[in-house]
Amino acid sequence: MAACTARNAAARLSRLVAVAVVVGECAAVVLLALGPGGAPGFVLTLLLLAAFTTGIVPTLRSGTKASCACFGASTAPIGRRHVVRNTVLLALAAALAGTPAPTQPAGVLIAAFGALVGALLVIFTDELGTLFDDGAPRTSGRVRGSAP
């Protein structure tokens, strides 16, 4: 009976966190689009990325095999590239937090195009990573069987 109650509590907590993440991400988009310079949106983005990265690092350290549901239906396992991606995004969000938004039409168009290209690169991080992954197990510095 206690195990059933614990599973129900974990399931409820999981749903609550999932809803909070979706609401937070939607709020960040709206704040980035509406705010002058997007500072509140960048702050919320920083908080979300910090929370995601804080969850990924212990999972990697524990050796748990978990898939990343990043950007929807990705089944790629969580790896170091997710930490690197989030760290780069954290740095970008921190750098852009105080930057005024462009007001001239050409500036808006250039910023929108740059944002689109950047977003596509981030969204397809897992797929791009597999292009460079030959599937061979990695060693720690030396090729196995080679002399020191």
PDB file of all heavy atoms in Angstrom, residues 34-76:
ATOM      1  N   LEU A  34       7.728  40.459 -25.689  1.00  0.00           N
ATOM      2  CA  LEU A  34       7.063  41.693 -25.271  1.00  0.00           C
ATOM      3  C   LEU A  34       7.946  42.683 -24.543  1.00  0.00           C
ATOM      4  O   LEU A  34       7.753  43.886 -24.663  1.00  0.00           O
ATOM      5  CB  LEU A  34       5.863  41.360 -24.370  1.00  0.00           C
ATOM      6  CG  LEU A  34       4.745  40.549 -25.014  1.00  0.00           C
ATOM      7  CD1 LEU A  34       3.661  40.271 -23.980  1.00  0.00           C
ATOM      8  CD2 LEU A  34       4.179  41.259 -26.220  1.00  0.00           C
ATOM      9  N   GLY A  35       8.879  42.173 -23.768  1.00  0.00           N
ATOM     10  CA  GLY A  35       9.644  43.050 -22.882  1.00  0.00           C
ATOM     11  C   GLY A  35      10.633  43.922 -23.609  1.00  0.00           C
ATOM     12  O   GLY A  35      11.203  43.521 -24.616  1.00  0.00           O
ATOM     13  N   PRO A  36      10.867  45.136 -23.090  1.00  0.00           N
ATOM     14  CA  PRO A  36      11.886  45.998 -23.686  1.00  0.00           C
ATOM     15  C   PRO A  36      13.266  45.403 -23.422  1.00  0.00           C
ATOM     16  O   PRO A  36      13.697  45.303 -22.289  1.00  0.00           O
ATOM     17  CB  PRO A  36      11.706  47.336 -22.969  1.00  0.00           C
ATOM     18  CG  PRO A  36      11.016  46.991 -21.690  1.00  0.00           C
ATOM     19  CD  PRO A  36      10.229  45.730 -21.948  1.00  0.00           C
ATOM     20  N   GLY A  37      13.918  44.940 -24.490  1.00  0.00           N
ATOM     21  CA  GLY A  37      15.212  44.292 -24.320  1.00  0.00           C
ATOM     22  C   GLY A  37      15.068  42.864 -23.851  1.00  0.00           C
ATOM     23  O   GLY A  37      16.026  42.119 -23.803  1.00  0.00           O
ATOM     24  N   GLY A  38      13.869  42.439 -23.484  1.00  0.00           N
ATOM     25  CA  GLY A  38      13.615  41.067 -23.095  1.00  0.00           C
ATOM     26  C   GLY A  38      14.234  40.639 -21.784  1.00  0.00           C
ATOM     27  O   GLY A  38      14.355  39.448 -21.528  1.00  0.00           O
ATOM     28  N   ALA A  39      14.655  41.582 -20.930  1.00  0.00           N
ATOM     29  CA  ALA A  39      15.350  41.226 -19.694  1.00  0.00           C
ATOM     30  C   ALA A  39      14.579  40.221 -18.832  1.00  0.00           C
ATOM     31  O   ALA A  39      15.164  39.226 -18.398  1.00  0.00           O
ATOM     32  CB  ALA A  39      15.695  42.467 -18.894  1.00  0.00           C
ATOM     33  N   PRO A  40      13.279  40.406 -18.564  1.00  0.00           N
ATOM     34  CA  PRO A  40      12.580  39.399 -17.754  1.00  0.00           C
ATOM     35  C   PRO A  40      12.550  38.026 -18.434  1.00  0.00           C
ATOM     36  O   PRO A  40      12.682  36.996 -17.771  1.00  0.00           O
ATOM     37  CB  PRO A  40      11.158  39.959 -17.622  1.00  0.00           C
ATOM     38  CG  PRO A  40      11.291  41.418 -17.881  1.00  0.00           C
ATOM     39  CD  PRO A  40      12.425  41.558 -18.854  1.00  0.00           C
ATOM     40  N   GLY A  41      12.421  38.008 -19.734  1.00  0.00           N
ATOM     41  CA  GLY A  41      12.435  36.748 -20.467  1.00  0.00           C
ATOM     42  C   GLY A  41      13.786  36.060 -20.384  1.00  0.00           C
ATOM     43  O   GLY A  41      13.869  34.838 -20.240  1.00  0.00           O
ATOM     44  N   PHE A  42      14.860  36.852 -20.477  1.00  0.00           N
ATOM     45  CA  PHE A  42      16.199  36.273 -20.366  1.00  0.00           C
ATOM     46  C   PHE A  42      16.452  35.751 -18.953  1.00  0.00           C
ATOM     47  O   PHE A  42      17.075  34.710 -18.779  1.00  0.00           O
ATOM     48  CB  PHE A  42      17.277  37.287 -20.772  1.00  0.00           C
ATOM     49  CG  PHE A  42      17.408  37.453 -22.257  1.00  0.00           C
ATOM     50  CD1 PHE A  42      17.074  38.650 -22.858  1.00  0.00           C
ATOM     51  CD2 PHE A  42      17.848  36.409 -23.055  1.00  0.00           C
ATOM     52  CE1 PHE A  42      17.186  38.803 -24.232  1.00  0.00           C
ATOM     53  CE2 PHE A  42      17.965  36.557 -24.428  1.00  0.00           C
ATOM     54  CZ  PHE A  42      17.628  37.761 -25.017  1.00  0.00           C
ATOM     55  N   VAL A  43      15.963  36.441 -17.957  1.00  0.00           N
ATOM     56  CA  VAL A  43      16.119  35.980 -16.571  1.00  0.00           C
ATOM     57  C   VAL A  43      15.386  34.657 -16.381  1.00  0.00           C
ATOM     58  O   VAL A  43      15.930  33.704 -15.799  1.00  0.00           O
ATOM     59  CB  VAL A  43      15.629  37.049 -15.566  1.00  0.00           C
ATOM     60  CG1 VAL A  43      15.554  36.485 -14.162  1.00  0.00           C
ATOM     61  CG2 VAL A  43      16.537  38.276 -15.609  1.00  0.00           C
ATOM     62  N   LEU A  44      14.162  34.573 -16.862  1.00  0.00           N
ATOM     63  CA  LEU A  44      13.406  33.327 -16.752  1.00  0.00           C
ATOM     64  C   LEU A  44      14.091  32.221 -17.544  1.00  0.00           C
ATOM     65  O   LEU A  44      14.187  31.078 -17.088  1.00  0.00           O
ATOM     66  CB  LEU A  44      11.964  33.528 -17.233  1.00  0.00           C
ATOM     67  CG  LEU A  44      11.043  32.311 -17.120  1.00  0.00           C
ATOM     68  CD1 LEU A  44      11.022  31.746 -15.703  1.00  0.00           C
ATOM     69  CD2 LEU A  44       9.635  32.680 -17.571  1.00  0.00           C
ATOM     70  N   THR A  45      14.619  32.543 -18.716  1.00  0.00           N
ATOM     71  CA  THR A  45      15.356  31.567 -19.511  1.00  0.00           C
ATOM     72  C   THR A  45      16.585  31.077 -18.762  1.00  0.00           C
ATOM     73  O   THR A  45      16.885  29.880 -18.747  1.00  0.00           O
ATOM     74  CB  THR A  45      15.764  32.185 -20.862  1.00  0.00           C
ATOM     75  OG1 THR A  45      14.581  32.593 -21.554  1.00  0.00           O
ATOM     76  CG2 THR A  45      16.557  31.221 -21.710  1.00  0.00           C
ATOM     77  N   LEU A  46      17.300  31.992 -18.128  1.00  0.00           N
ATOM     78  CA  LEU A  46      18.463  31.609 -17.321  1.00  0.00           C
ATOM     79  C   LEU A  46      18.066  30.644 -16.210  1.00  0.00           C
ATOM     80  O   LEU A  46      18.743  29.637 -15.976  1.00  0.00           O
ATOM     81  CB  LEU A  46      19.128  32.854 -16.719  1.00  0.00           C
ATOM     82  CG  LEU A  46      19.967  33.701 -17.656  1.00  0.00           C
ATOM     83  CD1 LEU A  46      20.275  35.054 -17.023  1.00  0.00           C
ATOM     84  CD2 LEU A  46      21.260  32.985 -17.994  1.00  0.00           C
ATOM     85  N   LEU A  47      16.981  30.940 -15.534  1.00  0.00           N
ATOM     86  CA  LEU A  47      16.524  30.071 -14.438  1.00  0.00           C
ATOM     87  C   LEU A  47      16.137  28.681 -14.956  1.00  0.00           C
ATOM     88  O   LEU A  47      16.497  27.663 -14.347  1.00  0.00           O
ATOM     89  CB  LEU A  47      15.340  30.713 -13.712  1.00  0.00           C
ATOM     90  CG  LEU A  47      15.651  31.978 -12.922  1.00  0.00           C
ATOM     91  CD1 LEU A  47      14.367  32.607 -12.378  1.00  0.00           C
ATOM     92  CD2 LEU A  47      16.608  31.663 -11.782  1.00  0.00           C
ATOM     93  N   LEU A  48      15.414  28.634 -16.071  1.00  0.00           N
ATOM     94  CA  LEU A  48      15.016  27.344 -16.640  1.00  0.00           C
ATOM     95  C   LEU A  48      16.234  26.536 -17.080  1.00  0.00           C
ATOM     96  O   LEU A  48      16.349  25.343 -16.776  1.00  0.00           O
ATOM     97  CB  LEU A  48      14.066  27.550 -17.821  1.00  0.00           C
ATOM     98  CG  LEU A  48      12.648  27.988 -17.476  1.00  0.00           C
ATOM     99  CD1 LEU A  48      11.919  28.464 -18.728  1.00  0.00           C
ATOM    100  CD2 LEU A  48      11.887  26.860 -16.809  1.00  0.00           C
ATOM    101  N   LEU A  49      17.160  27.162 -17.795  1.00  0.00           N
ATOM    102  CA  LEU A  49      18.354  26.450 -18.247  1.00  0.00           C
ATOM    103  C   LEU A  49      19.203  25.977 -17.075  1.00  0.00           C
ATOM    104  O   LEU A  49      19.760  24.871 -17.105  1.00  0.00           O
ATOM    105  CB  LEU A  49      19.190  27.349 -19.159  1.00  0.00           C
ATOM    106  CG  LEU A  49      18.689  27.499 -20.579  1.00  0.00           C
ATOM    107  CD1 LEU A  49      19.411  28.630 -21.291  1.00  0.00           C
ATOM    108  CD2 LEU A  49      18.856  26.200 -21.344  1.00  0.00           C
ATOM    109  N   ALA A  50      19.309  26.797 -16.038  1.00  0.00           N
ATOM    110  CA  ALA A  50      20.064  26.380 -14.847  1.00  0.00           C
ATOM    111  C   ALA A  50      19.405  25.164 -14.198  1.00  0.00           C
ATOM    112  O   ALA A  50      20.085  24.222 -13.783  1.00  0.00           O
ATOM    113  CB  ALA A  50      20.172  27.537 -13.861  1.00  0.00           C
ATOM    114  N   ALA A  51      18.081  25.165 -14.143  1.00  0.00           N
ATOM    115  CA  ALA A  51      17.368  24.026 -13.552  1.00  0.00           C
ATOM    116  C   ALA A  51      17.558  22.772 -14.406  1.00  0.00           C
ATOM    117  O   ALA A  51      17.799  21.683 -13.866  1.00  0.00           O
ATOM    118  CB  ALA A  51      15.881  24.348 -13.411  1.00  0.00           C
ATOM    119  N   PHE A  52      17.468  22.902 -15.719  1.00  0.00           N
ATOM    120  CA  PHE A  52      17.657  21.741 -16.600  1.00  0.00           C
ATOM    121  C   PHE A  52      19.066  21.176 -16.439  1.00  0.00           C
ATOM    122  O   PHE A  52      19.255  19.966 -16.320  1.00  0.00           O
ATOM    123  CB  PHE A  52      17.435  22.111 -18.071  1.00  0.00           C
ATOM    124  CG  PHE A  52      16.026  22.530 -18.396  1.00  0.00           C
ATOM    125  CD1 PHE A  52      15.787  23.375 -19.452  1.00  0.00           C
ATOM    126  CD2 PHE A  52      14.945  22.086 -17.660  1.00  0.00           C
ATOM    127  CE1 PHE A  52      14.491  23.759 -19.782  1.00  0.00           C
ATOM    128  CE2 PHE A  52      13.651  22.466 -17.976  1.00  0.00           C
ATOM    129  CZ  PHE A  52      13.420  23.307 -19.037  1.00  0.00           C
ATOM    130  N   THR A  53      20.058  22.061 -16.458  1.00  0.00           N
ATOM    131  CA  THR A  53      21.448  21.619 -16.346  1.00  0.00           C
ATOM    132  C   THR A  53      21.713  21.001 -14.983  1.00  0.00           C
ATOM    133  O   THR A  53      22.421  19.999 -14.875  1.00  0.00           O
ATOM    134  CB  THR A  53      22.399  22.800 -16.609  1.00  0.00           C
ATOM    135  OG1 THR A  53      22.043  23.398 -17.858  1.00  0.00           O
ATOM    136  CG2 THR A  53      23.846  22.351 -16.669  1.00  0.00           C
ATOM    137  N   THR A  54      21.113  21.575 -13.950  1.00  0.00           N
ATOM    138  CA  THR A  54      21.256  21.023 -12.605  1.00  0.00           C
ATOM    139  C   THR A  54      20.658  19.624 -12.523  1.00  0.00           C
ATOM    140  O   THR A  54      21.125  18.796 -11.754  1.00  0.00           O
ATOM    141  CB  THR A  54      20.575  21.957 -11.573  1.00  0.00           C
ATOM    142  OG1 THR A  54      21.205  23.238 -11.659  1.00  0.00           O
ATOM    143  CG2 THR A  54      20.688  21.432 -10.178  1.00  0.00           C
ATOM    144  N   GLY A  55      19.665  19.333 -13.318  1.00  0.00           N
ATOM    145  CA  GLY A  55      19.094  17.992 -13.359  1.00  0.00           C
ATOM    146  C   GLY A  55      19.907  17.030 -14.214  1.00  0.00           C
ATOM    147  O   GLY A  55      19.975  15.837 -13.928  1.00  0.00           O
ATOM    148  N   ILE A  56      20.538  17.537 -15.270  1.00  0.00           N
ATOM    149  CA  ILE A  56      21.289  16.682 -16.183  1.00  0.00           C
ATOM    150  C   ILE A  56      22.601  16.206 -15.562  1.00  0.00           C
ATOM    151  O   ILE A  56      22.954  15.024 -15.677  1.00  0.00           O
ATOM    152  CB  ILE A  56      21.575  17.421 -17.511  1.00  0.00           C
ATOM    153  CG1 ILE A  56      20.273  17.626 -18.285  1.00  0.00           C
ATOM    154  CG2 ILE A  56      22.583  16.658 -18.361  1.00  0.00           C
ATOM    155  CD1 ILE A  56      20.423  18.527 -19.506  1.00  0.00           C
ATOM    156  N   VAL A  57      23.329  17.091 -14.907  1.00  0.00           N
ATOM    157  CA  VAL A  57      24.661  16.747 -14.391  1.00  0.00           C
ATOM    158  C   VAL A  57      24.618  15.567 -13.427  1.00  0.00           C
ATOM    159  O   VAL A  57      25.383  14.609 -13.591  1.00  0.00           O
ATOM    160  CB  VAL A  57      25.346  17.992 -13.780  1.00  0.00           C
ATOM    161  CG1 VAL A  57      26.611  17.610 -13.036  1.00  0.00           C
ATOM    162  CG2 VAL A  57      25.652  19.005 -14.882  1.00  0.00           C
ATOM    163  N   PRO A  58      23.750  15.563 -12.405  1.00  0.00           N
ATOM    164  CA  PRO A  58      23.728  14.391 -11.517  1.00  0.00           C
ATOM    165  C   PRO A  58      23.307  13.106 -12.229  1.00  0.00           C
ATOM    166  O   PRO A  58      23.777  12.022 -11.891  1.00  0.00           O
ATOM    167  CB  PRO A  58      22.704  14.751 -10.439  1.00  0.00           C
ATOM    168  CG  PRO A  58      22.488  16.207 -10.553  1.00  0.00           C
ATOM    169  CD  PRO A  58      22.856  16.602 -11.935  1.00  0.00           C
ATOM    170  N   THR A  59      22.453  13.232 -13.222  1.00  0.00           N
ATOM    171  CA  THR A  59      22.040  12.050 -13.986  1.00  0.00           C
ATOM    172  C   THR A  59      23.233  11.467 -14.726  1.00  0.00           C
ATOM    173  O   THR A  59      23.433  10.246 -14.737  1.00  0.00           O
ATOM    174  CB  THR A  59      20.925  12.416 -14.982  1.00  0.00           C
ATOM    175  OG1 THR A  59      19.825  12.957 -14.258  1.00  0.00           O
ATOM    176  CG2 THR A  59      20.468  11.218 -15.783  1.00  0.00           C
ATOM    177  N   LEU A  60      24.049  12.319 -15.341  1.00  0.00           N
ATOM    178  CA  LEU A  60      25.252  11.848 -16.026  1.00  0.00           C
ATOM    179  C   LEU A  60      26.231  11.211 -15.046  1.00  0.00           C
ATOM    180  O   LEU A  60      26.792  10.152 -15.317  1.00  0.00           O
ATOM    181  CB  LEU A  60      25.946  13.004 -16.750  1.00  0.00           C
ATOM    182  CG  LEU A  60      25.304  13.493 -18.029  1.00  0.00           C
ATOM    183  CD1 LEU A  60      26.036  14.717 -18.555  1.00  0.00           C
ATOM    184  CD2 LEU A  60      25.290  12.399 -19.070  1.00  0.00           C
ATOM    185  N   ARG A  61      26.443  11.858 -13.915  1.00  0.00           N
ATOM    186  CA  ARG A  61      27.392  11.348 -12.922  1.00  0.00           C
ATOM    187  C   ARG A  61      26.964  10.005 -12.346  1.00  0.00           C
ATOM    188  O   ARG A  61      27.800   9.179 -12.019  1.00  0.00           O
ATOM    189  CB  ARG A  61      27.587  12.362 -11.800  1.00  0.00           C
ATOM    190  CG  ARG A  61      28.413  13.535 -12.240  1.00  0.00           C
ATOM    191  CD  ARG A  61      28.784  14.416 -11.084  1.00  0.00           C
ATOM    192  NE  ARG A  61      29.621  15.507 -11.545  1.00  0.00           N
ATOM    193  CZ  ARG A  61      29.757  16.641 -10.934  1.00  0.00           C
ATOM    194  NH1 ARG A  61      29.107  16.860  -9.808  1.00  0.00           N
ATOM    195  NH2 ARG A  61      30.544  17.570 -11.406  1.00  0.00           N
ATOM    196  N   SER A  62      25.670   9.805 -12.221  1.00  0.00           N
ATOM    197  CA  SER A  62      25.186   8.548 -11.638  1.00  0.00           C
ATOM    198  C   SER A  62      25.248   7.393 -12.627  1.00  0.00           C
ATOM    199  O   SER A  62      25.113   6.235 -12.244  1.00  0.00           O
ATOM    200  CB  SER A  62      23.745   8.717 -11.153  1.00  0.00           C
ATOM    201  OG  SER A  62      22.854   8.785 -12.253  1.00  0.00           O
ATOM    202  N   GLY A  63      25.449   7.711 -13.909  1.00  0.00           N
ATOM    203  CA  GLY A  63      25.493   6.668 -14.925  1.00  0.00           C
ATOM    204  C   GLY A  63      24.120   6.201 -15.362  1.00  0.00           C
ATOM    205  O   GLY A  63      23.999   5.241 -16.118  1.00  0.00           O
ATOM    206  N   THR A  64      23.078   6.883 -14.909  1.00  0.00           N
ATOM    207  CA  THR A  64      21.721   6.523 -15.297  1.00  0.00           C
ATOM    208  C   THR A  64      21.540   6.759 -16.783  1.00  0.00           C
ATOM    209  O   THR A  64      21.909   7.800 -17.309  1.00  0.00           O
ATOM    210  CB  THR A  64      20.699   7.367 -14.505  1.00  0.00           C
ATOM    211  OG1 THR A  64      20.897   7.153 -13.124  1.00  0.00           O
ATOM    212  CG2 THR A  64      19.278   7.009 -14.890  1.00  0.00           C
ATOM    213  N   LYS A  65      20.992   5.777 -17.454  1.00  0.00           N
ATOM    214  CA  LYS A  65      20.712   5.914 -18.883  1.00  0.00           C
ATOM    215  C   LYS A  65      19.311   6.493 -19.037  1.00  0.00           C
ATOM    216  O   LYS A  65      18.321   5.812 -18.821  1.00  0.00           O
ATOM    217  CB  LYS A  65      20.797   4.561 -19.593  1.00  0.00           C
ATOM    218  CG  LYS A  65      22.158   3.931 -19.525  1.00  0.00           C
ATOM    219  CD  LYS A  65      23.167   4.753 -20.285  1.00  0.00           C
ATOM    220  CE  LYS A  65      24.530   4.083 -20.232  1.00  0.00           C
ATOM    221  NZ  LYS A  65      25.597   4.932 -20.626  1.00  0.00           N
ATOM    222  N   ALA A  66      19.238   7.762 -19.356  1.00  0.00           N
ATOM    223  CA  ALA A  66      17.954   8.441 -19.543  1.00  0.00           C
ATOM    224  C   ALA A  66      17.964   9.116 -20.895  1.00  0.00           C
ATOM    225  O   ALA A  66      18.998   9.592 -21.357  1.00  0.00           O
ATOM    226  CB  ALA A  66      17.744   9.466 -18.435  1.00  0.00           C
ATOM    227  N   SER A  67      16.816   9.139 -21.529  1.00  0.00           N
ATOM    228  CA  SER A  67      16.745   9.834 -22.812  1.00  0.00           C
ATOM    229  C   SER A  67      16.367  11.283 -22.570  1.00  0.00           C
ATOM    230  O   SER A  67      15.728  11.624 -21.584  1.00  0.00           O
ATOM    231  CB  SER A  67      15.730   9.169 -23.736  1.00  0.00           C
ATOM    232  OG  SER A  67      14.442   9.290 -23.201  1.00  0.00           O
ATOM    233  N   CYS A  68      16.815  12.107 -23.487  1.00  0.00           N
ATOM    234  CA  CYS A  68      16.507  13.521 -23.406  1.00  0.00           C
ATOM    235  C   CYS A  68      15.263  13.785 -24.245  1.00  0.00           C
ATOM    236  O   CYS A  68      15.269  13.536 -25.444  1.00  0.00           O
ATOM    237  CB  CYS A  68      17.668  14.345 -23.937  1.00  0.00           C
ATOM    238  SG  CYS A  68      17.329  16.109 -23.987  1.00  0.00           S
ATOM    239  N   ALA A  69      14.243  14.259 -23.629  1.00  0.00           N
ATOM    240  CA  ALA A  69      13.034  14.613 -24.376  1.00  0.00           C
ATOM    241  C   ALA A  69      13.095  16.085 -24.777  1.00  0.00           C
ATOM    242  O   ALA A  69      12.081  16.748 -24.903  1.00  0.00           O
ATOM    243  CB  ALA A  69      11.802  14.331 -23.540  1.00  0.00           C
ATOM    244  N   CYS A  70      14.303  16.564 -24.987  1.00  0.00           N
ATOM    245  CA  CYS A  70      14.513  17.952 -25.363  1.00  0.00           C
ATOM    246  C   CYS A  70      13.787  18.270 -26.661  1.00  0.00           C
ATOM    247  O   CYS A  70      13.872  17.504 -27.618  1.00  0.00           O
ATOM    248  CB  CYS A  70      16.000  18.224 -25.555  1.00  0.00           C
ATOM    249  SG  CYS A  70      17.032  17.751 -24.155  1.00  0.00           S
ATOM    250  N   PHE A  71      13.082  19.349 -26.674  1.00  0.00           N
ATOM    251  CA  PHE A  71      12.393  19.842 -27.856  1.00  0.00           C
ATOM    252  C   PHE A  71      11.409  18.822 -28.410  1.00  0.00           C
ATOM    253  O   PHE A  71      11.232  18.709 -29.609  1.00  0.00           O
ATOM    254  CB  PHE A  71      13.391  20.283 -28.925  1.00  0.00           C
ATOM    255  CG  PHE A  71      14.371  21.289 -28.409  1.00  0.00           C
ATOM    256  CD1 PHE A  71      15.664  20.919 -28.100  1.00  0.00           C
ATOM    257  CD2 PHE A  71      13.979  22.589 -28.182  1.00  0.00           C
ATOM    258  CE1 PHE A  71      16.563  21.840 -27.608  1.00  0.00           C
ATOM    259  CE2 PHE A  71      14.873  23.515 -27.685  1.00  0.00           C
ATOM    260  CZ  PHE A  71      16.158  23.140 -27.393  1.00  0.00           C
ATOM    261  N   GLY A  72      10.800  18.065 -27.528  1.00  0.00           N
ATOM    262  CA  GLY A  72       9.743  17.162 -27.978  1.00  0.00           C
ATOM    263  C   GLY A  72      10.094  15.704 -27.903  1.00  0.00           C
ATOM    264  O   GLY A  72      10.297  15.166 -26.843  1.00  0.00           O
ATOM    265  N   ALA A  73      10.238  15.084 -29.047  1.00  0.00           N
ATOM    266  CA  ALA A  73      10.285  13.630 -29.104  1.00  0.00           C
ATOM    267  C   ALA A  73      11.681  13.048 -29.241  1.00  0.00           C
ATOM    268  O   ALA A  73      11.830  11.924 -29.682  1.00  0.00           O
ATOM    269  CB  ALA A  73       9.419  13.155 -30.268  1.00  0.00           C
ATOM    270  N   SER A  74      12.727  13.753 -28.876  1.00  0.00           N
ATOM    271  CA  SER A  74      14.072  13.217 -28.995  1.00  0.00           C
ATOM    272  C   SER A  74      14.241  12.024 -28.063  1.00  0.00           C
ATOM    273  O   SER A  74      13.839  12.061 -26.903  1.00  0.00           O
ATOM    274  CB  SER A  74      15.107  14.289 -28.650  1.00  0.00           C
ATOM    275  OG  SER A  74      16.404  13.737 -28.692  1.00  0.00           O
ATOM    276  N   THR A  75      14.839  10.965 -28.579  1.00  0.00           N
ATOM    277  CA  THR A  75      15.107   9.783 -27.764  1.00  0.00           C
ATOM    278  C   THR A  75      16.596   9.621 -27.510  1.00  0.00           C
ATOM    279  O   THR A  75      17.023   8.603 -26.985  1.00  0.00           O
ATOM    280  CB  THR A  75      14.568   8.511 -28.460  1.00  0.00           C
ATOM    281  OG1 THR A  75      15.178   8.408 -29.747  1.00  0.00           O
ATOM    282  CG2 THR A  75      13.054   8.554 -28.591  1.00  0.00           C
ATOM    283  N   ALA A  76      17.372  10.621 -27.895  1.00  0.00           N
ATOM    284  CA  ALA A  76      18.818  10.557 -27.692  1.00  0.00           C
ATOM    285  C   ALA A  76      19.126  10.508 -26.207  1.00  0.00           C
ATOM    286  O   ALA A  76      18.489  11.201 -25.409  1.00  0.00           O
ATOM    287  CB  ALA A  76      19.484  11.778 -28.321  1.00  0.00           C
TER     288      ALA A  76
END
